[in-house]
Amino acid sequence: MKKIIFHIIVVNAMVNAVAGQDLGTEKETKTSLNLFYDLYPTLNSVDLDTKGLAFSTTFAVPKGELGVGAAYTYGMLNSDTYAWSQELMAFGDFHQINLMMNYNYNINAQWSLGVEFSPLIASTLATSLRSNAIVLESKFEVKRLLGQQTKPSYVTVGLAYGTELGAPRIYPTLSYFNTVNEKLSYKLGFPETALYYRLNNQSKFDFTLAPQSIYTLHNQPLYDNNLAAEVTDSYLEFTALQSSLRYHFDFNNNWSSFFKVGYTTSPTMKIKALDTDNTMYNFKADNGFMVGFGLNFNINNKQNDANKK
């Protein structure tokens, strides 16, 4: 029997995610508390769900803006087919803990620099925490404003290190954002492309195309069938390309919610040896649908009122 369990626990907000941290429509809020739940029920014989809670805030500093936050995400794998397998039992549940810091520096009216540092703990916590479960996620971007402040248009180019594409790696970032009118805007780039539409003061939609990923470490021996030996440190890597449609509704100045449906393509879910990167086990995930929903609490509702179009 498949299990669907909802835990309200602490999230993941800035860098990575199969989790439901959310896109441009949430970035109007200066201080927020977010809860989310994502369910992938059709990954071949494995069900994957993630849930969590995140807090983030930004405030003005000389020549720029400073942001800080914290997040916790809990993930769980279920399967009738692999129910008692060593691999599923090892990675049946896993955790991600983020500390998030970013600084945007305005060089002049057109140019700005963005630096983000988000140390991540990704582990099954099967043993006491070890240093190899810590990923020093970071990002550096240059932004060039192309249009007026009242109708934003800009280009960003940067370099990042983290788990956006699976196991920790360096990857480039590139985006072009344009405001068409007061209702419609879009972003083209890598790793994310998105279209945003505001129906009215309470309702918004967005459509996104972006990679989804999970990376988590297991610090206990696990048998490698390919080598006929035990491996002390292994990791689970899930990657997919997801297209999703999300509906966001503001209940009032403080509370809002969203509901999301998506479809994942080119998914992979593998267990690999940390030292050699050798594939120890392949769950052979299939294309499939996912659903997600969440709640957002805007702590400084006066700021949110000022930002409403």
Side-chain angles (χ1 to χ4, degrees):
M1 178 180 297
K2 294 180 179 179
K3 296 185 289 182
I4 300 177
I5 303 176
F6 191 141
H7 296 258
I8 294 181
I9 21 192
V10 192
V11 150
N12 202 354
M14 255 184 200
V15 177
N16 172 27
V18 155
Q21 66 264 35
D22 271 306
L23 307 166
T25 50
E26 258 68 64
K27 294 178 182 177
E28 296 173 353
T29 304
K30 292 296 183 180
T31 303
S32 66
L33 181 68
N34 299 275
L35 295 88
F36 65 83
Y37 176 70
D38 280 2
L39 171 65
Y40 294 73
T42 57
L43 295 171
N44 198 359
S45 300
V46 178
D47 296 337
L48 165 66
D49 65 84
T50 59
K51 70 277 290 182
L53 180 151
F55 171 82
S56 62
T57 185
T58 59
F59 48 92
V61 295
K63 297 287 287 183
E65 190 176 63
L66 182 67
V68 294
Y72 171 79
T73 303
Y74 172 74
M76 185 171 63
L77 294 178
N78 280 304
S79 175
D80 292 335
T81 304
Y82 304 110
W84 301 107
S85 72
Q86 182 189 24
E87 296 82 10
L88 190 73
M89 292 178 71
F91 289 93
D93 62 325
F94 46 90
H95 313 264
Q96 289 188 340
I97 303 170
N98 276 98
L99 294 177
M100 301 169 291
M101 297 158 279
N102 66 82
Y103 175 59
N104 292 313
Y105 175 75
N106 298 322
I107 301 173
N108 53 41
Q110 284 77 40
W111 292 90
S112 63
L113 299 176
V115 179
E116 181 178 307
F117 181 59
S118 303
L120 166 69
I121 296 173
S123 175
T124 61
L125 298 182
T127 62
S128 57
L129 189 63
R130 300 180 186 177
S131 60
N132 58 7
I134 300 174
V135 181
L136 300 179
E137 297 193 317
S138 53
K139 181 164 64 177
F140 176 82
E141 286 186 327
V142 179
K143 179 178 177 180
R144 172 67 159 88
L145 185 66
L146 303 176
Q148 300 176 354
Q149 292 286 356
T150 55
K151 192 179 178 181
S153 175
Y154 57 81
V155 173
T156 62
V157 179
L159 196 64
Y161 174 78
T163 58
E164 182 82 16
L165 305 177
R169 69 195 67 185
I170 296 174
Y171 59 93
T173 64
L174 173 66
S175 66
Y176 168 70
F177 179 88
N178 185 48
T179 302
V180 179
N181 53 46
E182 64 178 9
K183 291 184 177 292
L184 181 65
S185 59
Y186 63 89
K187 178 169 66 173
L188 303 174
F190 178 84
E192 179 185 279
T193 291
L195 179 71
Y196 308 103
Y197 181 76
R198 181 185 290 275
L199 185 63
N200 52 48
N201 283 340
Q202 284 189 298
S203 299
K204 295 174 280 191
F205 292 90
D206 58 56
F207 176 80
T208 63
L209 182 64
Q212 301 293 296
S213 70
I214 283 178
Y215 167 81
T216 191
L217 195 68
H218 184 66
N219 289 124
Q220 274 195 332
L222 195 63
Y223 193 76
D224 185 348
N225 294 303
N226 298 314
L227 300 178
E230 283 192 339
V231 173
T232 302
D233 298 318
S234 57
Y235 67 90
L236 174 74
E237 180 183 46
F238 169 77
T239 63
L241 180 64
Q242 182 185 114
S243 56
S244 62
L245 178 66
R246 190 181 66 128
Y247 172 67
H248 174 107
F249 181 79
D250 293 327
F251 294 106
N252 53 41
N253 291 339
N254 296 103
W255 288 98
S256 62
S257 67
F258 72 87
F259 177 76
K260 177 172 65 174
V261 292
Y263 187 74
T264 58
T265 58
S266 305
T268 65
M269 185 182 293
K270 298 179 180 181
I271 296 173
K272 297 184 177 183
L274 184 65
D275 292 337
T276 63
D277 214 37
N278 179 59
T279 298
M280 300 167 55
Y281 197 84
N282 188 346
F283 284 104
K284 297 180 180 179
D286 292 334
N287 296 348
F289 288 94
M290 61 81 59
V291 295
F293 57 89
L295 292 173
N296 172 265
F297 177 60
N298 302 324
I299 295 175
N300 53 341
N301 58 353
K302 292 182 180 180
Q303 179 70 46
N304 191 55
D305 282 340
N307 282 327
K308 282 188 175 181
K309 296 178 182 177

